[in-house]
Amino acid sequence: MKFKRLEYLEVCELEYRFYGDNLDSLHVAAERLMERMRQMPELEWVHTDYLQPYPIINVELDPVTSAQLGITRTTAALALTATSSDLRIGQIWEGNYELPIVVKDDTDMTYSDIENLGIASPMTMLGGGVSNTNSTIPLRQIAKVSPRWSESRIMHRGGERCITVTAQFARGVYTAPIEKEIARIMQEDIQLPQGVRTEVGGEIEYVNDAFPQIFGGVGIAMIIVFFFLLFNFKKFGVTTVCMAALALMLPGSLIGLRLMDNTLGLTSVMGVITLMGIIMRNEILIFEHAIDLIKKHVEKHGDWTVDRKAYNAAVKQAAYDAGKRRMVPIFLTTATTGVGVVPMIIAQSSFWMPVGVTIFAGGIGSLIMVVTMLPVVYWKVSTK
C-alpha cells in the first residue's frame, strides 16, 4: 500500500512576470527588479524561473560544404549524438518491466575533440565503409564550432515568452506593506525596456481570483440565513436588523488590522466569516429574549391595538432587559473566542496572524456595539 505524503508549507510568494519577445530585454527588466528586491530584508530567495545559464557548444553547418558532401543537419545531429551522449541500443524485459540497454562513453571530451569529431558522409560511407577512418570528415571542415552560454530553460505563458521573478517573505513579515512598496517600485523606479510588459502573480493573483468566489459563496449563505431568520422571527424589520448588524464587526476588525500594519486580505476574510457566525448568535440571543418578554406582555395585557402606550413601554423594557440579561453570555462567548486566537497573534505567522487579529479585534468591537446598539435598534423597530 502506498501513502501519499501531504505537506502544507506556510510560504507566501511574490511573483512578477515580464512578457516579451526579446530575451535580453526580459533579463534586463528582471535583473532591475531583483536588484531592488534583494535590498529588502523582508524578502528571501529572490530568483527567476529561467535558472542559471550553462555553457554549450554551438555547431553551425556550412550550407555549401555540407550540401556538397551530402551531410544534412539530421545526419550531423545523429553523428554527434552517437559520439557525445548515451546510445540506447535495445531493451530487455523482466516480467512486466522494461530495462533499457544503453551504451555509455565516460570519456571526457575537450573543445578540440569536438572540433575533430568525424562526421560520416553518405558518399564516403558507401565507398569505404563505416569502419574505415577515411570515411569520416572532421566536423571543423563542414561547420563552425563555437562555445556559448545558453538558457537552462525558456518559459512561455499563453504562447508568449515570460520570465518570472519570485521571492518569499521572511517569517513573521506582514505581506501588505511589502506588496505596496514593490508596486510603487514597479510603477515609479523601474523603467521597462521597449516591448516588455509586466503582470503580478503569486499570492496577489491568487487572492484576486479567490475573492469573487468567496464573496459569491458568502452572498448565497446570507440569503439562506435571511430566510431562516425570517421564518423564525416572522418580522422583516427584525430580520433586516439582524443582517445589517453584521457590519458591527468591521470597525474593530479594521482598527485591529491597521494597528498591526496589515490589510483586509484573503486570510482576514476567513476571520470575518468566523465573526459573522459569532455576531449572528449574539443577535439571536438578544432578540429571542426580547421577543419572549413581549409575548408574555401580550398574553397578559394584549397587543398594541389594546393599549399602544403600554405596549411600547413593554417593548422598551424588553429591549433593555434583553441587553442586560444577555450581556454576560455574550461577553463570555466572545472573550473565550478572543483568548483562543491569541496564540495565532503571538506566533506572528503571516498566514494565521491576520485571522487572529480580525477575530480578536472584531469580536471586542462588536461585543461593545451589540449589547449597546442592538437593544436600542430593536426598540425603535418594534415600537408601534
Side-chain angles (χ1 to χ4, degrees):
M1 175 181 278
K2 295 183 179 179
F3 296 92
K4 185 177 180 181
R5 183 183 179 188
L6 299 178
E7 295 181 352
Y8 174 75
L9 298 177
E10 186 187 322
V11 177
C12 298
E13 285 194 349
L14 279 175
E15 282 188 8
Y16 289 88
R17 306 188 189 105
F18 297 95
Y19 294 89
D21 296 329
N22 191 302
L23 281 177
D24 293 334
S25 298
L26 293 178
H27 278 293
V28 169
E31 288 294 334
R32 290 175 181 174
L33 179 59
M34 286 195 297
E35 181 181 358
R36 296 297 300 271
M37 295 174 70
R38 285 169 178 164
Q39 297 174 0
M40 306 174 69
E42 299 86 356
L43 298 179
E44 299 176 343
W45 196 34
V46 182
H47 63 286
T48 70
D49 57 351
Y50 272 47
L51 304 180
Q52 295 294 329
Y54 63 94
I56 64 171
I57 300 297
N58 184 52
V59 178
E60 186 176 350
L61 288 178
D62 186 333
V64 177
T65 306
S66 60
Q68 291 175 348
L69 297 174
I71 299 176
T72 63
R73 294 181 60 181
T74 302
T75 56
L78 290 173
L80 289 173
T81 300
T83 307
S84 60
S85 62
D86 303 337
L87 179 63
R88 177 170 175 169
I89 59 176
Q91 68 275 338
I92 59 176
W93 291 85
E94 183 176 345
N96 295 328
Y97 296 95
E98 178 186 2
L99 302 176
I101 302 174
V102 180
V103 177
K104 293 187 176 182
D105 186 1
D106 296 332
T107 304
D108 294 332
M109 300 182 66
T110 64
Y111 176 71
S112 300
D113 295 334
I114 296 177
E115 284 189 314
N116 294 320
L117 282 177
I119 304 297
S121 167
M123 300 301 297
T124 55
M125 288 175 61
L126 291 175
V130 179
S131 60
N132 191 346
T133 57
N134 295 327
S135 64
T136 60
I137 302 171
L139 180 61
R140 52 185 164 78
Q141 293 187 5
I142 61 171
K144 180 181 178 181
V145 183
S146 59
R148 75 173 188 181
W149 290 89
S150 176
E151 300 288 349
S152 299
R153 59 180 178 180
I154 299 177
M155 303 298 294
H156 291 77
R157 291 179 68 91
E160 188 176 4
R161 283 181 177 175
C162 173
I163 183 171
T164 304
V165 177
T166 306
Q168 294 180 355
F169 291 102
R171 184 172 181 81
V173 172
Y174 307 142
T175 62
I178 308 304
E179 292 171 354
K180 290 181 180 179
E181 176 62 18
I182 297 180
R184 185 197 64 80
I185 292 173
M186 288 290 298
Q187 185 175 3
E188 300 178 2
D189 299 345
I190 295 182
Q191 183 178 1
L192 296 178
Q194 186 176 4
V196 176
R197 62 182 182 87
T198 184
E199 179 183 80
V200 180
E203 184 193 16
I204 302 176
E205 182 183 43
Y206 173 74
V207 169
N208 294 335
D209 292 341
F211 265 142
Q213 301 177 11
I214 293 176
F215 289 145
V218 171
I220 295 174
M222 296 293 286
I223 295 174
I224 297 174
V225 170
F226 177 84
F227 284 104
F228 280 159
L229 294 177
L230 183 62
F231 178 78
N232 179 66
F233 293 132
K234 298 179 176 61
K235 294 182 180 180
F236 278 101
V238 176
T239 304
T240 304
V241 169
C242 277
M243 303 303 296
L246 293 176
L248 295 177
M249 63 185 167
L250 293 179
S253 300
L254 296 177
I255 292 174
L257 291 172
R258 180 60 180 173
L259 292 177
M260 299 301 292
D261 198 18
N262 214 312
T263 58
L264 190 64
L266 181 61
T267 53
S268 304
V269 171
M270 296 180 184
V272 170
I273 295 174
T274 304
L275 273 179
M276 291 171 60
I278 298 174
I279 294 177
M280 187 64 71
R281 177 184 180 276
N282 295 339
E283 295 172 0
I284 293 174
L285 285 175
I286 292 177
F287 292 155
E288 282 287 350
H289 185 75
I291 290 173
D292 289 341
L293 292 177
I294 294 175
K295 286 181 178 179
K296 291 179 181 179
H297 172 80
V298 171
E299 291 175 358
K300 186 179 295 187
H301 304 286
D303 59 9
W304 63 276
T305 58
V306 177
D307 190 344
R308 182 189 296 265
K309 186 175 180 179
Y311 179 84
N312 290 339
V315 170
K316 181 178 180 180
Q317 184 60 35
Y320 173 78
D321 190 66
K324 181 180 178 180
R325 293 291 182 89
R326 297 305 185 187
M327 181 181 297
V328 174
I330 290 175
F331 171 77
L332 290 177
T333 55
T334 306
T336 52
T337 303
V339 173
V341 299
V342 168
M344 296 183 182
I345 304 175
I346 296 176
Q348 296 293 302
S349 167
S350 58
F351 182 86
W352 293 111
M353 189 276 296
V355 180
V357 170
T358 304
I359 295 176
F360 183 84
I364 294 176
S366 64
L367 167 65
I368 298 172
M369 289 188 283
V370 163
V371 297
T372 56
M373 295 178 60
L374 281 189
V376 177
V377 174
Y378 178 80
W379 168 42
K380 293 297 184 181
V381 170
S382 301
T383 299
K384 298 299 183 179

